[in-house]
Short mmCIF file of all heavy atoms in Angstrom, two decimals:
data_model
loop_
_atom_site.label_atom_id
_atom_site.label_comp_id
_atom_site.label_asym_id
_atom_site.label_seq_id
_atom_site.Cartn_x
_atom_site.Cartn_y
_atom_site.Cartn_z
N ARG A 868 4.44 -17.30 1.42
CA ARG A 868 5.46 -18.13 2.07
C ARG A 868 5.04 -18.34 3.53
O ARG A 868 5.67 -17.89 4.49
CB ARG A 868 6.84 -17.45 1.98
CG ARG A 868 7.99 -18.36 2.46
CD ARG A 868 9.34 -17.65 2.33
NE ARG A 868 9.85 -17.71 0.99
CZ ARG A 868 10.12 -16.63 0.24
NH1 ARG A 868 9.94 -15.44 0.70
NH2 ARG A 868 10.60 -16.80 -0.98
N ALA A 869 3.92 -19.03 3.70
CA ALA A 869 3.38 -19.27 5.03
C ALA A 869 4.31 -20.24 5.77
O ALA A 869 5.08 -20.98 5.18
CB ALA A 869 1.98 -19.89 4.91
N PRO A 870 4.32 -20.18 7.12
CA PRO A 870 3.34 -19.47 7.95
C PRO A 870 3.67 -18.02 8.25
O PRO A 870 2.81 -17.26 8.64
CB PRO A 870 3.32 -20.28 9.27
CG PRO A 870 4.74 -20.79 9.39
CD PRO A 870 5.18 -21.09 7.96
N MET A 871 4.92 -17.63 8.08
CA MET A 871 5.37 -16.28 8.50
C MET A 871 5.50 -15.32 7.37
O MET A 871 5.69 -14.12 7.57
CB MET A 871 6.68 -16.37 9.29
CG MET A 871 6.56 -17.12 10.61
SD MET A 871 5.41 -16.31 11.72
CE MET A 871 5.54 -17.38 13.14
N ASN A 872 5.49 -15.80 6.12
CA ASN A 872 5.63 -14.93 4.93
C ASN A 872 6.87 -14.04 5.03
O ASN A 872 6.82 -12.85 4.81
CB ASN A 872 4.36 -14.10 4.73
CG ASN A 872 3.17 -14.96 4.26
OD1 ASN A 872 3.31 -15.75 3.33
ND2 ASN A 872 2.06 -14.79 4.95
N VAL A 873 7.99 -14.68 5.39
CA VAL A 873 9.28 -13.98 5.41
C VAL A 873 9.60 -13.50 4.02
O VAL A 873 9.42 -14.21 3.01
CB VAL A 873 10.38 -14.92 5.94
CG1 VAL A 873 11.75 -14.24 5.86
CG2 VAL A 873 10.07 -15.30 7.39
N ILE A 874 10.07 -12.27 3.92
CA ILE A 874 10.36 -11.63 2.64
C ILE A 874 11.85 -11.69 2.37
O ILE A 874 12.66 -11.13 3.13
CB ILE A 874 9.85 -10.18 2.62
CG1 ILE A 874 8.31 -10.18 2.76
CG2 ILE A 874 10.25 -9.46 1.35
CD1 ILE A 874 7.71 -8.81 2.91
N SER A 875 12.26 -12.34 1.29
CA SER A 875 13.67 -12.49 0.95
C SER A 875 14.19 -11.25 0.28
O SER A 875 13.41 -10.35 -0.11
CB SER A 875 13.87 -13.69 0.00
OG SER A 875 13.35 -13.38 -1.29
N MET A 876 15.51 -11.15 0.13
CA MET A 876 16.12 -9.99 -0.51
C MET A 876 15.71 -9.88 -1.96
O MET A 876 15.31 -8.82 -2.45
CB MET A 876 17.64 -10.09 -0.37
CG MET A 876 18.14 -10.00 1.05
SD MET A 876 17.74 -8.44 1.89
CE MET A 876 18.93 -7.36 1.14
N ASP A 877 15.78 -11.00 -2.70
CA ASP A 877 15.39 -10.97 -4.12
C ASP A 877 13.92 -10.68 -4.27
O ASP A 877 13.49 -10.04 -5.26
CB ASP A 877 15.71 -12.31 -4.77
CG ASP A 877 17.21 -12.55 -4.90
OD1 ASP A 877 17.97 -11.55 -4.91
OD2 ASP A 877 17.63 -13.72 -5.04
N GLN A 878 13.10 -11.13 -3.32
CA GLN A 878 11.67 -10.89 -3.39
C GLN A 878 11.37 -9.40 -3.37
O GLN A 878 10.39 -8.95 -3.99
CB GLN A 878 10.98 -11.59 -2.22
CG GLN A 878 9.46 -11.53 -2.23
CD GLN A 878 8.85 -12.25 -1.06
OE1 GLN A 878 9.54 -12.94 -0.31
NE2 GLN A 878 7.55 -12.10 -0.89
N ARG A 879 12.16 -8.61 -2.68
CA ARG A 879 11.91 -7.18 -2.61
C ARG A 879 12.02 -6.56 -3.99
O ARG A 879 11.20 -5.69 -4.36
CB ARG A 879 12.93 -6.52 -1.66
CG ARG A 879 12.79 -7.01 -0.21
CD ARG A 879 14.01 -6.54 0.57
NE ARG A 879 14.06 -7.15 1.90
CZ ARG A 879 13.96 -6.49 3.05
NH1 ARG A 879 13.80 -5.19 3.05
NH2 ARG A 879 14.04 -7.12 4.18
N ASP A 880 13.02 -6.98 -4.80
CA ASP A 880 13.14 -6.48 -6.15
C ASP A 880 11.91 -6.88 -7.00
O ASP A 880 11.39 -6.09 -7.78
CB ASP A 880 14.40 -7.05 -6.84
CG ASP A 880 15.66 -6.60 -6.13
OD1 ASP A 880 15.70 -5.47 -5.60
OD2 ASP A 880 16.64 -7.36 -6.16
N GLN A 881 11.45 -8.12 -6.78
CA GLN A 881 10.29 -8.61 -7.53
C GLN A 881 9.00 -7.89 -7.15
O GLN A 881 8.17 -7.63 -7.98
CB GLN A 881 10.14 -10.12 -7.35
CG GLN A 881 11.22 -10.95 -8.04
CD GLN A 881 10.85 -12.41 -8.07
OE1 GLN A 881 10.17 -12.91 -7.17
NE2 GLN A 881 11.28 -13.11 -9.10
N LEU A 882 8.86 -7.62 -5.83
CA LEU A 882 7.68 -6.89 -5.39
C LEU A 882 7.60 -5.53 -6.04
O LEU A 882 6.55 -5.06 -6.46
CB LEU A 882 7.69 -6.77 -3.87
CG LEU A 882 7.37 -8.06 -3.11
CD1 LEU A 882 7.65 -7.90 -1.61
CD2 LEU A 882 5.89 -8.47 -3.34
#
Side-chain angles (χ1 to χ4, degrees):
R868 189 179 279 121
M871 296 297 182
N872 289 311
V873 174
I874 296 174
S875 72
M876 296 297 285
D877 290 338
Q878 184 179 353
R879 297 168 190 244
D880 297 328
Q881 290 192 329
L882 286 169

